Every structure is written in C-alpha cells, then in structure tokens.
Amino acid sequence: MGAYILRRLALIIPTLIGIMLLNFIIVQAAPGGPIEQFIAEMEGHGGSALARAGGGGGSEVAAGSGDSRGSRGIPPELLKELEVMYGFDKPPHERFLKMLGDYATFDFGDSFYRDRSVIELIIDKMPVSISLGLWSTLIIYLISIPLGIRKAVTDGSRFDVWTSSMIVVGYAIPGFLFAFLLIVLFAGGTYFDFFPLRGLTSPNWEELNWYQKIVDYFWHLTLPVTANVIGGFATLTLLTKNSFLDEIGKQYVVTARAKGLEERRVLYGHVFRNAMLIVIASLPGVLVALFFTGSLLIEVIFSLDGLGLLGFEAALNRDYPVIFGTLFIFTLMGLILKLISDITYVLVDPRIDFESREG
C-alpha cells in the first residue's frame, strides 16, 4: 500500500500541471481581461481609474491579453504601464512557467482588486465554506446511510414508498430554490421570522459568552445547511439503498441466513462492509461539491462570504490570481481526498489490494 500511495502522490504533480495548463489556455483565449475592464471603468469614471493605474502592484501569474478593443484613444504609455501592472508584458509561456514556480511554494500573488494576497483571501474565506461543507456532509451521512439501509431492508413497503416520494421531491428541487423557500417561510420573507438572513454570526458576536456564541453560530447556520443538505441527502440515500439491495441478493447473504445467523448480524456483519464501499467512494466528490461548488448560490443567497462567493466574484472581475489560486487549491484538495478515499477502501475491506491491481 505504501508504494501505491507514493505513486499516487507523484501523479498529483502532472495532474495539477495539466489542469492548470488547460484552464490557463481557456482563460488566455477568453475576451474581457482586467485591462479591458480597467479601460472601460476609466472611460466611465474618468480620473478615478487613472489614479488606480498609478499605484499598486499586480501579480505576474495572470493569464490574459493586454489588447483591448476599447484601447483606442488611450495613451500608449498608459497601456504599457497597465501591461506591466497586471503582468501581461511577458509572453504566455513565461507567465505560465512563473505561475507554476510560484505555486510550488504556495505563492499565489496578490488580488488585482482587493489589495490583499490570494492566500490571505482564501484563509479568510475558508472558515465559512468549511462550516457549510462539514456540517452539511455530516448531516447528509447521518441521515442518508441509516435511511438507505432501512429502505433496502423494507424494500416495497409503505415506508419505502413514502420516503421515496420525499426523496424524489428533494432531488427535484435545487438547493438554491429550497433556500428561497426557507427564507420565505422562516427568515422574515412572508410568514415567520425565526432565523437570521445574513452572515454566520450576529453583529454583537464579541459581546456574547461562549455558550451564546455556540447558539448564535448554529442559529445562523440552520437555514444554509438545510438548503445545502437537500440534494446530497436524496442522492446518497438512493445510493445507499441500491448498494445494500445489490449485496442482500448475493449468495453469501443467502448462505449466512441459511446457517441461522441473526438478521442484524447478517446485515451489519457481512452486508454493511461490502455495501459501504461505493458510499465511501462518493465521499470525496460530496466534499468537493459541498465545499467549492454546491455552496456557491447558498453563500450568495444568505450573504455568506466564503470560497464559493470569492471564486464567483473573481471570475466576474477577471481577477486571475484569485481564479488560478483557488483552482490550484481546490484541485489539490480534490486529488488528496480521492487518495484518502482509496485508503479508506482498504481500511473498510482489507481484501482490496490496489498495488496488485496496478501490477
């Protein structure tokens, strides 16, 4: 297993380079870079944008083009200054190689628009996304696995049909629409005003004692996590049920029952280990989706300043250091989580040997 882990860790490097290169080429070809936006702002707001050009440094890791259809009438020396400011005075391949060198030391440069380093922004926004992702994942697994097992054991019963109807409704309603429904019902939208609408803490957070802070934190987290759980809960419940149904019908289960083993021992001593493999395999995807993609609209709707909102605003503003910095970290975390998933496979079922399969 040790050699397999080392090989997988070594493969992370070329995988990261390939993903970064592909996205670099896509962004390189996309119109509307930061210089074009700067010129548009300067033409619309006059001297305020010109003042920006005179100060502040830029990151040279960005990809993009300094050419602009809106640059007519702009002094050439100003365009040259903008290119140097945003790092576009170098050819694309030099920018990409420099970006890889900087990222090897986790130097992601500075944001074009926030006057802060990318790593500071990510660290600042990380707690919000971690809060949403971890609590959502925990609740999804605590509900979905027992419910999926119960549905498999009682397949075709009233309980199975009734819960399946609820799951279909939950799967059909996107999380962000469910978030709007929760706001209308419980956040002062139309009916009740039980929960806050913005942020993860109250304005008087510093004045609260420790247990009031805990209550306040979960009070703010209730609606966003509930909205975030809906889609993942439905998918994982059906995955668990189908996985258990597939295992229950196999010969070793029939043999165990024929030997007189208790149903509970058959279910949790034999079926559970095999059926949970596919559920464990889905964990990295669930975590990545909840941390970085699935919570985007939830963060926007509930005004939660997390990584999803940071990446969305960076894409709109063409803030390339933030775009590539967050992409690098998200990809690295996804690859590591996938490796952890494989290791967990072996812990759950020692019969699995990835090294012999690769050999």
Side-chain angles (χ1 to χ4, degrees), residues 29-65:
I35 293 182
E36 292 179 342
Q37 294 199 13
F38 187 94
I39 291 173
E41 180 183 344
M42 186 175 63
E43 292 175 345
H45 297 88
S48 62
L50 186 60
R52 273 179 52 200
S59 170
E60 294 184 358
V61 304
S65 173

Side-chain angles (χ1 to χ4, degrees), residues 34-47 49-50 53 66-83 86:
I35 293 182
E36 292 179 342
Q37 294 199 13
F38 187 94
I39 291 173
E41 180 183 344
M42 186 175 63
E43 292 175 345
H45 297 88
L50 186 60
D67 298 332
S68 171
R69 293 188 297 270
S71 63
R72 298 175 183 176
I74 303 299
E77 59 272 16
L78 177 57
L79 287 177
K80 185 65 178 177
E81 184 179 352
L82 290 174
E83 290 177 358
Y86 289 111

Side-chain angles (χ1 to χ4, degrees), residues 2 28 66 68 71 75 86 89 99 135 143 179 196 200 204 214-215 224 227 229 242 299 345 350 355:
Q28 178 76 26
S68 171
S71 63
Y86 289 111
D89 57 324
M99 180 179 73
W135 287 114
I143 294 176
L200 280 184
N204 63 334
I214 294 176
V215 173
V229 160
N242 293 333
E299 290 182 10
Y345 258 125
E355 292 187 25

Side-chain angles (χ1 to χ4, degrees), residues 280-356:
I280 292 171
S282 68
L283 179 59
V286 172
L287 288 173
V288 172
L290 288 175
F291 279 6
F292 310 124
T293 57
S295 63
L296 167 59
L297 292 176
I298 303 298
E299 290 182 10
V300 174
I301 293 170
F302 290 99
S303 300
L304 302 175
D305 196 8
L307 290 174
L309 185 59
L310 175 66
F312 176 71
E313 292 178 346
L316 290 181
N317 296 326
R318 301 297 196 273
D319 196 346
Y320 294 139
V322 176
I323 292 175
F324 286 111
T326 53
L327 174 66
F328 180 87
I329 291 179
F330 295 171
T331 304
L332 179 61
M333 291 184 66
L335 293 172
I336 293 175
L337 285 172
K338 179 58 179 174
L339 176 59
I340 293 174
S341 173
D342 289 345
I343 296 173
T344 310
Y345 258 125
V346 178
L347 295 177
V348 174
D349 190 350
R351 295 172 298 175
I352 295 178
D353 186 357
F354 288 106
E355 292 187 25
S356 62

Side-chain angles (χ1 to χ4, degrees), residues 78-97:
L78 177 57
L79 287 177
K80 185 65 178 177
E81 184 179 352
L82 290 174
E83 290 177 358
V84 175
M85 172 181 171
Y86 289 111
F88 298 151
D89 57 324
K90 299 179 178 62
H93 68 278
E94 290 186 15
R95 295 201 301 272
F96 180 71
L97 292 177

